[in-house]
Amino acid sequence: MKTSYKNIYMLALSILTISCSEDFTDLAPTSQRNVENFYKTATDMEVAVNGIYNALQLDGTYNQSYWIMHEMRSDNTDQGPGSTGLARERAIIEDFGEISTSDIIEAAWTDSYSGIARANVVLNRINSVEMDQGLKDRLTGEALFLRSLFYYHMAISFGNIPLVVTETQSVNEGQDHVQVSADVIYGQLVTDLTEAENLLNLPIETMGNNLGRATKGAAAILLAKVHLLLNEKAAAATVLRRIMSDYGYSLVPDYNDLWGENNEHNAESIFEVEFQGGGFGGGNSFTNDFSPLPTLPTSVGAYRNRPTREMMNTYETGDSRFFASMDTSFVDNEGMLQTNTNNDIRFIVKYGIDNPLGAEGEGDAPNNFVVFRYADVLLMLAEAIGESPEAYDLINEVRDRADLGIIDAATPGTFEEKLLHERRVELAFENHRWADLLRFGAAESTLVAIGKSPRLLFLIPQKELDLNKNFKQN
Amino acid sequence: MKKLVLIWGLFLLSYTPNNAQLLVSLREPLPDVGHNQRAPIYLRDILSSMEKEFNVSILYNSDLIENVEVSVTPELKNSSVEEELLYYLQPIGLKSKKLEERFYVIQKEVDKQEKIIRNAKARFNKASQSEEPFLVNSVPKNIDFSSLNKPSSLATLTGQVTDESGAVLPGVSIIIKGTTTGTITDIEGYYSLEVNPSDVLIFSFIGYSNQEIIVGTQSVVNVRLEADITTLGEIVVTGYGTQQRRDITGAVASISFEEIQNMPVASFENAIQGQLAGVQVSETSGEPGAGPTIRVRGLGSISAGNEPLFVIDGFPVSKNVAIGVQGDVSRRRAAFRPPPSNPLATLNPNDIQSIEVLKDASAAAIYGSRGSNGVVLITTKRGKREGKPQISFDSFTGVQSVANKIDLMNAAELTDYVIDTRNNAYLQDIAGASINDSNAERDAKAIADGKAPSGNYRIADDFINPSGTDTDWQDEVFNQATIQSHNVSVSGGTEDIGYYVAGGYYDQDGIIDGSGFKRYSFRVNLEAEIMPKLNIGVNLNPSFTVFDRLPAGSPYFARPPGIVYSALVQSPTVSPYNADGSINQTDNQSYLFTETGAGAGMTTASNPLAIIAAIDDKLKQNRTFGNFWGEYEILEGLKFKSFLGIDINNYNRTFFRANSLLYRNAPTGEPYAQSSASQSVSWVSEQTFSYEKTFADQHNLSAVAGFAAQKETIETSEVLAINFFDDQVPTINGGQVTAGTANQEEWSLASFLARGNYSYKDKYLLTATIRTDKSSRFGKENRTGVFPSVSAGWRLSEESFMANLSSLSDLKVRASWGQTGNFLIPNFASIGLISPTNYVFGENGGSQTNGVTQTTISNPALSWEKTSQIDIGLEFGLFDDRIFTSLDWYQTTTSDLLLAVQIPSALGFTTSLQNIGEVQNKGLEISLSTRNLAGELKWDTDFNFSTINNKVTKLGPSGDPILSSGGAGNRHITRIGDPIGSYYGYVVDGIYQSQAEIDNAPIDTQAPAARPGDLRFKDIDNDGDIDPDDRTVIGNYLPDYTWGITNTFTFKGVDLRILIQGVQGAEVLNLTRRHLGNGEGNFNSYAEWNNRWRSPSEPGNGEIPRADRLTGLHGNNNRPSSFQVEDASYIRLRTITLGYNFPNKVLGDVIQSLRIYMSGTNLLTITDYLGFNPEVNNQSAASPNVQGEDYGAYPLNKSYTFGINVTF
């Protein structure tokens, strides 16, 4: 019958319609780049490095966890009143009462390792990409520095952490991770930061569109800190002197001029976490977090990271750094001055913004977070060389700017006490205090003195312990 | 007139399965007139034998074939019914016409001219007998012909038979009760019969309920037959084909348009609620146009979609709206999104002919990797060929109001409560405190005690000296709203063409001003036989909807704030308007200051009226479905069908938040606008062969096989503008555009499918299905899936040993097994994706510089979720199917669940999408239809009942539970042995009545300073303290069982339909208790807190703890606990409809039928649930792990409507 030919014809037709099905079902994302076609060119590597910087803005790093774990955990700040429920979690961490499932602690682990992994991808792949050697050096240096910065925070916070310096190829690798001591991490950082300092550009060369990138100075100051942690004071001093002599930093004459959107990248600034408002997702929430109660002018203040009364009192009379760092009164939204009659209004102003009422005041503020600045170099050098006239000179250089008189060996207290005090007020609320207390061996005594039962290492997130049965809790 | 003689009644009964035995017994004695006999061959005998051989019915007027001999030699072999009929009939000037599947009627060849005249005559003279009443089946020997010779008291009765919509029904059998005399209606639905006044006529037709009429003195009786959904001859759409209900071996639920029409709902899903066993429809939000959720047989997936596949006239559509095609308010947290707009609300329920739900794997396997959540097949109306054009007008209009209000405190009660909370906190915390202290003394004593003075101890002026304001904020927000729907359709056709053309308008205002839903829909369904054996068809359905959205259903602190929740938490002591009539936004509870100027410890919410006024959010949808198909019969029984379809779906959303709205206590506005658009284009191509054949009179075989390909491309874009300095221009150009994004995604699916049905003697039924799907969504190593199924049925009632059980009219057992998949996984989940992670570099504040990060890790083995299901079913009819019951038991195991498995963070990723874990669903479904009364007063009952038992059986490599965060932190757990997304928290174990009781209880580490009146929590792990390890499963959203019952009464022209449905054993995680029931008195509160614990002598109702402004620092009563989980069982009077059909005699010639009705929806809900709606689910669009939260949803409305159905 004729129909059978038709039959065959139609069958053929229908097969034809999906004969290209191999391609038909082989679709790749059009709106998103994917691993199969990326990391091939110099531009790819450049944006991949920019992506590592992005990890500095995360909640688990500078936007939140780091100030909770390195500032609130110390004797500098606490959680203001009126917090209940989830908001109390910060107060619990401040009080050393957190459990291993704390979201904030877990975020620090997750987001820091995210930054580390981003750097590992770049470091693993960059050598096989053809590009200008100068650019390759700079990108490699940036990746090394950023990875070190995350590891520094992780080692300070948790101590025993896995050291991962290779790109993840398969999820099964997670079972191979082993915990190493902080000193092993610091050893790796010395190597990496030494190389980074070599590869990176000078601060003076990092201007224009590159402003905000890591420089030799940034790698060097972190290297010096790591040397101090390893008690390699001479090595630290060498690095610090190199920063002083070669990299062109100086103290800004007025401490007030260090802060705010308009004073970013000043002569003293060594490395900052860059933020930008405007709805791009690049803003910070310091204003919301640090402002006083919700009923007050920003309308969204959570009163976190509040300077303790003891912190407020630790400033010497006449210290011009006090009001640049914190405040004790504000004008509310009805124009009324709310004053500190009971010493219960205290809040950080270093990260204040001009207009806290708009969108910028709602988690989208533009001001940078200063990670390292030159005053720290001076004080670390004093620490590295130990009690000596030169050391007092370095400290007094910092004190002089604060309109305070000189101190010397005759000033009451030990050298370490005086230095630690100076570091506390000079670098107040810049996430240095917890590391300083640990480095100076003063964490235990200081916190016990204010009635706390300190724990020097944070608990390793329960999730990580659950996923890798070899991990041990701190 | 011609006398019509038939065994028609018996014949017909033989084709209604309840009398299947009769069929057999009738056929046995038929003369075995084979083709090879040499003796004179009568056409009647030929037809009779054909009926047997092909299992068809052939209807004819006995006059036409009386004594007609067949002149040709019967030599045909392996030919079709049509071919044989043609062969025999053509030479003698007759022809055959196929009326329905398996129904043929023999007519004289009538030329066109003759036909037109005849039709015209019929129209002009309805009451007259029609020219050519065809009729009469072959007459078996044992029929009594005495009725033919009745005395001349016989009168001629005529009339027309129509269906409920007024469409004429040809081929309806009319038989005089107790006799074999009768006739059938002609193609215009007319009949004529000689009757005695004492006769009772039985009208019957396949797919419709029998109707009995007492003749009396009437000479014209027009009859309207009602569709009978349990009749087993009903044709059921099964996907790539149809089957008779009695032949089905899988679990298929179906519902026809009668059960869903004229309901005041935007979409068909709302209409089927409570009417199908195993299909749970939840109206999670009352916002007009919001999508309800449909769950077929529980929840099978933890993180892929749980919505069934929808197949509209053969076009598969997923209801997955996850990737932002509807646009979103970018500043709103994902957890606070309102339910998505229903993407299928463009489909006008009035155009739907029937809905079938393929529930078990054997039925759904033909949809392979998309079948595991069930498949909903929607068939739209067709024109009846050879019917005269029928114009229908359906219209209703009504009013809606909020279904119920929440019982909250009034101003006096709240005042008492607030004072109580402050006093209790003050007394507990401050040394030397007395409740008689003034605010100044409270401040002073706090300082003296080393504490900070605070609004938590002070009592605000408003509560010391109440102004008398007592605002009912619910009354402020909820109003009466109108609803209307108007539909016009024209359907009809000629012998070769059938058409259905319709237009509809639906307009529902929301009970909150500014919300509403409008639909303009059009439909053209055409079918034509353009050449012999070649049929083509077109369905075209363009529609346009406008959805006025409001941020109604989110918490008061969401951005933008939720209207409903802002109204609930707002203090009744606050006035909604200022003295000048403007909306009060600043004199509210956050601005309550004590005389010292300090705060009052109240939390503020925005004025809901200001939110309504300031937010303009419109979502417009423009969707066009178009199908084109052609079907050619290649050989007898073998057909080839080519089907091409396209679905173009556009969304356009504009959002504007005006300056005028102050967010809570913000002093200035926060204006911004968004514009988003999306387009998705999906096409499908299906080439299928189907084959149907009966062998040796006993073996029925049908099969379908073919190829299908489908591809969808989705593009979205979104732009955000801020800094609007005024409210003049609400579009993005009125401000400064600061952000934008666009996305493109696509997926494709290439499939092979095949299904075979075999039955032996109508007794033993077997169906086997296979489909292979190759999808772009699956990983490279796992791209093709194979989905087989097999099912079998045994109609015991066909067996001779059952023949004696006369009350049992039908009995079938069936069993099925099958595998299906769930391919609702993200489009590119198997490929490691790189996403923008920008950073800021450069001088002067810097600028955004491109950065990227790999955000997901590749998984080339990623695959669909696999579901295996066993279903065992039993169907039986009693007393001629007056009682018909269908029972199903099923067990479903879904494995390879798609799960974002946690991985060590040091890998750089926190989760990896993997196929892991297993979920089991088990359940029992009962459908029961009874015809309780069948006389003049008819009473029918349809009842359905289903149980759900959902349990996670495997999870992740370590089996660790998954904690999930919905609207308020981790409050859900998915763990082995419990249902997906169970609520997780502490268990309340009463209230501490004394300090001694606290001292003797396990130490509550979460309650720093519990006091009598605080909640007592349970030490679940019995380790002597109450700590986070004592959290456990405290309920879940899935019901234990659901049921629905519809009672329909008809008496003369009046019909009454009542649908009651219920859900038992479900719980809601009532997050509004965090604020409305927190004991802190910082908001308005549930009135039940008037029964709170006040002292050991006034312990209240034993469930509500004490008032304490600082419970977080004391008893911590507000922690996630069973106190916030509520029983959400309910019984709802879903609809009640009272209608009246005007009798034909008052309608005249032009109007065929006229019905008016009144209907009420959601008039009564019986529940213990405190909130608006026990079906609430703020997370309906979110992960299956976090379902069941109430965080301030748009309440349901109740409505009263008045409607009219007219056909011309």
Side-chain angles (χ1 to χ4, degrees), chain A residues 245-290:
Chain A
S245 59
D246 296 354
Y247 297 157
Y249 298 107
S250 62
L251 287 187
V252 167
D254 185 344
Y255 191 84
N256 281 296
D257 294 341
L258 285 167
W259 313 109
E261 216 180 324
N262 301 322
N263 292 316
E264 292 171 354
H265 296 290
N266 52 57
E268 188 173 332
S269 167
I270 297 179
F271 189 70
E272 301 179 7
V273 176
E274 310 283 321
F275 288 100
Q276 188 187 39
F280 299 106
N284 67 57
S285 53
F286 303 142
T287 302
N288 316 44
D289 285 327
F290 303 161

Side-chain angles (χ1 to χ4, degrees), chain B residues 384-524:
Chain B
K384 283 219 167 59
R385 296 200 198 175
E386 297 203 74
K388 62 174 185 175
Q390 179 177 314
I391 303 166
S392 296
F393 178 68
D394 297 294
S395 180
F396 67 76
T397 178
V399 288
Q400 317 157 80
S401 54
V402 67
N404 62 309
K405 275 168 62 181
I406 294 180
D407 195 9
L408 297 173
M409 289 185 180
N410 62 25
E413 290 163 343
L414 182 67
T415 299
D416 173 58
Y417 173 55
V418 166
I419 292 171
D420 219 7
T421 62
R422 304 307 191 269
N423 283 342
N424 283 343
Y426 178 55
L427 287 176
Q428 180 165 354
D429 285 5
I430 307 298
S434 153
I435 57 167
N436 299 318
D437 289 342
S438 69
N439 282 336
E441 285 167 332
R442 288 171 189 237
D443 285 1
K445 285 187 180 176
I447 293 165
D449 196 27
K451 309 264 172 38
S454 124
N456 300 327
Y457 305 135
R458 289 186 289 259
I459 296 163
D461 291 350
D462 279 37
F463 299 112
I464 297 173
N465 301 307
S467 66
T469 304
D470 191 358
T471 306
D472 186 330
W473 284 94
Q474 296 182 79
D475 288 347
E476 296 297 324
V477 167
F478 303 128
N479 294 311
Q480 288 221 329
T482 59
I483 181 170
Q484 52 178 322
S485 166
H486 309 288
N487 295 282
V488 179
S489 70
V490 184
S491 73
T494 68
E495 213 168 320
D496 302 326
I497 295 178
Y499 60 85
Y500 173 84
V501 181
Y505 171 67
Y506 177 85
D507 183 355
Q508 181 180 10
D509 283 343
I511 51 172
I512 300 177
D513 283 354
S515 63
F517 180 78
K518 279 191 189 69
R519 173 180 53 227
Y520 307 84
S521 64
F522 304 92
R523 174 171 292 277
V524 179

Side-chain angles (χ1 to χ4, degrees), chain B residues 547-566:
Chain B
F547 188 3
D548 263 312
R549 302 223 71 173
L550 278 176
S554 39
Y556 70 90
F557 53 87
R559 292 171 175 270
I563 293 164
V564 174
Y565 208 15
S566 295

